[in-house]
Amino acid sequence: MEPILGSWEANVDHALARSPIDVCSSRGEDTVVVGNMGVVRVLKVNSGSRDVRVREGDLCLLMPFGKLDRFGYAELAYAYDAPNTIGLLAKQAKMDVKVLLPIPDGTAYSLPQWATYGRYFTAWDNWHKAYGCWRTQIAEDDPQNHLVFGWGGGVAFAELMLAKRAGFRVAMTAGSDERVAFLRENGITAVDRRRFPDLSLPTREERTDRDRHQRRRASVKEFLGLINELSDGHGVAIFVDNIGAPLYDITLTALARQGVVTTCGWKAGMRLSHLRGAESISRHIHVNTHVWRLQDSPGIRDFQEAEGWMAPKGSDVIYDFDQVPELADDYANGLIGSYFPMYQVNPL
């Protein structure tokens, strides 16, 4: 196959940073080609293969499954920590057809829109688990009475679009004029992150800085006041937090009774702590998911095609293949306005 478009995901950034794991050491390989979400073109199918799910010339989505557990969930991710897997940052590669999902014939959507599927498939799985957990405690109340909130990101955006379809109030942070406008255009209440410049926990170097702590308290107070307004004083019903440690205490404080905090990522810190007693008394449910179930992939794809739950047209940004180092730097430094950065390897 030849990669056409690759989606720049957080796991690529983690691989380059060699944190939280060094994927080369983990795989026992000197060199690893990463990139496990994107659109590929099938060039040749092994003539001895009995699996005819793909044909030469097909455009397909790469499913990031390296090793599966007995229920179809990913234990190791393709082109990340799964040994002997080659990602999309190569001009051509070989792969098992089992990880290729054809794009629907005659699709109404562009290849760049399809190339964002990784965030959407992940969001689908995480949202349905979180919503199902919330309904175990709030069985009958109208979602319109409840707020779903997300710290900024492409997965959070996709989840909030599902929450909006389900009837919830939805709001999300954004740190630039471009992203604030994008959220508003898509019916999500935009919370300008720049209003709260000191929300994150002080760094190790700042821990003895009293002024820094006072500034954080002021930002937190103002932020929680806004959450109070958006939720009629009840707090967040479902909080999508894929950031982690720097904001985790605020997430829990903002959460409503019987609320759900849900995550499928760890952009800025995996190690978390909370008071179990306080979480129990508040009946908070903590949901953690990773990727999705392989056998659910065709159904998610078909829902996207039928319902238009896709990245809005033109919301992506595409770097050429030789600009990948620039893309990596821009992503790491928060310089990309789009929630859907990607790179083009071969012609469309």
Side-chain angles (χ1 to χ4, degrees), residues 61 63 101 103-104 107-110 112-124 158 162 165 292 296-312 340:
L61 310 177
M63 300 292 100
L101 181 67
I103 293 173
T107 179
Y109 304 102
S110 67
Q113 285 178 291
W114 277 113
T116 67
Y117 70 94
R119 287 170 169 83
Y120 279 78
F121 280 41
T122 300
W124 172 276
L162 287 176
R165 284 171 173 265
W292 58 91
D296 292 338
S297 302
I300 304 172
R301 174 203 59 191
D302 294 347
F303 178 84
Q304 286 198 272
E305 177 71 35
E307 299 296 329
W309 179 59
M310 302 284 290
F340 308 108

Side-chain angles (χ1 to χ4, degrees), residues 62-82:
L62 170 59
M63 300 292 100
F65 294 87
K67 178 184 177 183
L68 301 177
D69 66 18
R70 61 193 178 117
F71 300 110
Y73 292 101
E75 289 191 61
L76 298 177
Y78 193 95
Y80 184 69
D81 55 356

Side-chain angles (χ1 to χ4, degrees), residues 72-145:
Y73 292 101
E75 289 191 61
L76 298 177
Y78 193 95
Y80 184 69
D81 55 356
N84 304 312
T85 55
I86 299 174
L88 300 182
L89 282 164
K91 287 289 186 176
Q92 290 188 5
K94 296 180 181 180
M95 57 182 55
D96 193 321
V97 294
K98 292 178 182 177
V99 297
L100 295 181
L101 181 67
I103 293 173
D105 291 335
T107 179
Y109 304 102
S110 67
L111 291 188
Q113 285 178 291
W114 277 113
T116 67
Y117 70 94
R119 287 170 169 83
Y120 279 78
F121 280 41
T122 300
W124 172 276
D125 181 75
N126 188 252
W127 168 253
H128 282 87
K129 303 304 182 290
Y131 176 67
C133 287
W134 183 77
R135 273 303 190 195
T136 63
Q137 300 197 107
I138 310 295
E140 298 173 352
D141 207 38
D142 188 342
Q144 181 57 44
N145 299 325

Side-chain angles (χ1 to χ4, degrees), residues 9 18 101 119 151 252 296 315 337:
E9 307 283 340
R18 297 181 182 253
L101 181 67
R119 287 170 169 83
W151 298 124
L252 296 183
D296 292 338
S315 62

Side-chain angles (χ1 to χ4, degrees), residues 183-261:
L183 294 181
R184 289 173 177 166
E185 289 168 5
N186 286 280
I188 295 174
T189 298
V191 174
D192 195 329
R193 180 69 166 78
R194 294 167 294 186
R195 290 179 51 188
F196 321 101
D198 298 294
L199 272 186
S200 296
L201 278 174
T203 63
R204 185 182 299 274
E205 295 75 16
E206 296 171 329
R207 287 178 185 174
T208 58
D209 185 343
R210 289 187 176 184
D211 183 58
R212 174 67 177 82
H213 285 279
Q214 289 175 349
R215 296 200 308 272
R216 186 180 197 242
R217 282 193 290 270
S219 284
V220 170
K221 182 179 179 181
E222 186 175 355
F223 175 77
L224 293 176
L226 179 58
I227 293 294
N228 200 50
E229 292 176 17
L230 294 174
S231 65
D232 294 336
H234 300 299
V236 178
I238 301 176
F239 204 128
V240 183
D241 180 356
N242 289 327
I243 301 298
L247 299 170
Y248 185 61
D249 61 328
I250 303 173
T251 295
L252 296 183
T253 303
L255 208 58
R257 287 188 55 79
Q258 293 85 43
V260 174
V261 55

